[in-house]
């Protein structure tokens, strides 16, 4: 598994494994969540204790977009260690499982309020928060 960053052993350790969707439209744009700081995130999130990675991704998609998704294939797994400005006492560790997905019908209003938007690869490359997610997308697209 490819690793980005280094764990800071002097801080509290916070590990979270998550499932994330790589969803593209007909223009080859990627569906992302945009936070208040302009960072982009793939649709998805943490896997709860009683969930499979696929079930977590289906749940997260409805919470974030209101849409069902179809999981097409597993892309890969990578991890990142970092310390955020928001939680400076925590050494965060994200293990990301990426899946190629198709966006299906809307079945509900999203629970989460961050805006969703379609972005070109250049925007994704410049603003995607998790570098390990970008690495896996590049690996999938054969542009490494």
């Amino acid at each position: 598994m490819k690793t980005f960053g280094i764990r800071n052993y002097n801080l509290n350790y916070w590990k979270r494994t998550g499932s994330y969707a790589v969803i593209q439209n007909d223009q080859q744009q990627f569906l992302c969540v945009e936070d208040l700081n302009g960072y982009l995130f793939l649709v998805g999130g943490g896997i709860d204790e009683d969930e499979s990675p696929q079930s977590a991704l289906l749940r997260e998609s409805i919470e974030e977009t209101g849409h069902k998704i179809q999981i097409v294939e597993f892309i890969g797994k990578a991890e990142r260690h970092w310390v955020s400005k928001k939680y400076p006492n925590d050494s965060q560790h994200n293990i990301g499982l990426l899946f190629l997905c198709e966006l299906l019908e809307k079945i509900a209003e999203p629970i989460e309020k961050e805006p969703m938007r379609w972005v070109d690869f250049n925007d994704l490359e410049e603003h995607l928060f998790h570098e390990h997610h970008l690495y896996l997308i590049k690996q999938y697209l054969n542009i490494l």
Side-chain angles (χ1 to χ4, degrees):
M1 176 170 46
K2 178 82 170 171
T3 301
F4 292 84
I6 299 170
R7 179 178 171 187
N8 185 331
Y9 286 90
N10 297 320
L11 300 176
N12 299 320
Y13 179 64
W14 189 80
K15 178 182 174 183
R16 185 80 166 153
T17 300
S19 290
Y20 303 91
V22 176
I23 302 170
Q24 288 185 277
N25 62 17
D26 293 339
Q27 291 78 39
Q28 301 306 305
Q29 295 172 312
F30 297 85
L31 185 61
C32 292
V33 177
E34 184 175 19
D35 75 2
L36 295 173
N37 297 317
Y39 288 114
L40 298 174
F41 297 85
L42 297 175
V43 171
I47 302 169
D48 292 337
E49 190 173 312
D50 61 340
E51 287 183 308
S52 69
Q54 294 85 354
S55 295
L57 188 54
L58 297 173
R59 173 185 53 77
E60 287 283 346
S61 175
I62 293 170
E63 289 175 3
E64 293 179 4
T65 71
H67 286 258
K68 284 185 172 182
I69 57 169
Q70 174 69 45
I71 297 173
V72 177
E73 69 178 287
F74 178 66
I75 291 175
K77 177 180 179 179
E79 64 183 349
R80 177 183 180 212
H81 295 273
W82 82 100
V83 177
S84 73
K85 291 178 184 176
K86 187 174 179 180
Y87 301 105
N89 297 320
D90 295 334
S91 180
Q92 298 189 48
H93 181 196
N94 175 263
I95 299 171
L97 307 172
L98 269 64
F99 295 86
L100 180 66
C101 298
E102 293 177 6
L103 192 65
L104 302 176
E105 71 272 9
K106 186 172 183 176
I107 61 166
E109 288 303 314
I111 295 170
E112 299 181 16
K113 299 304 176 197
E114 292 86 2
M116 304 298 297
R117 64 184 201 120
W118 293 101
V119 300
D120 292 322
F121 181 77
N122 290 341
D123 287 333
L124 189 74
E125 191 170 33
E126 189 173 329
H127 299 288
L128 191 64
F129 183 77
H130 289 300
E131 60 189 322
H132 61 307
H133 293 181
L134 183 62
Y135 165 80
L136 289 170
I137 292 170
K138 286 181 173 181
Q139 187 177 48
Y140 173 74
L141 296 173
N142 293 316
I143 56 175
L144 278 180

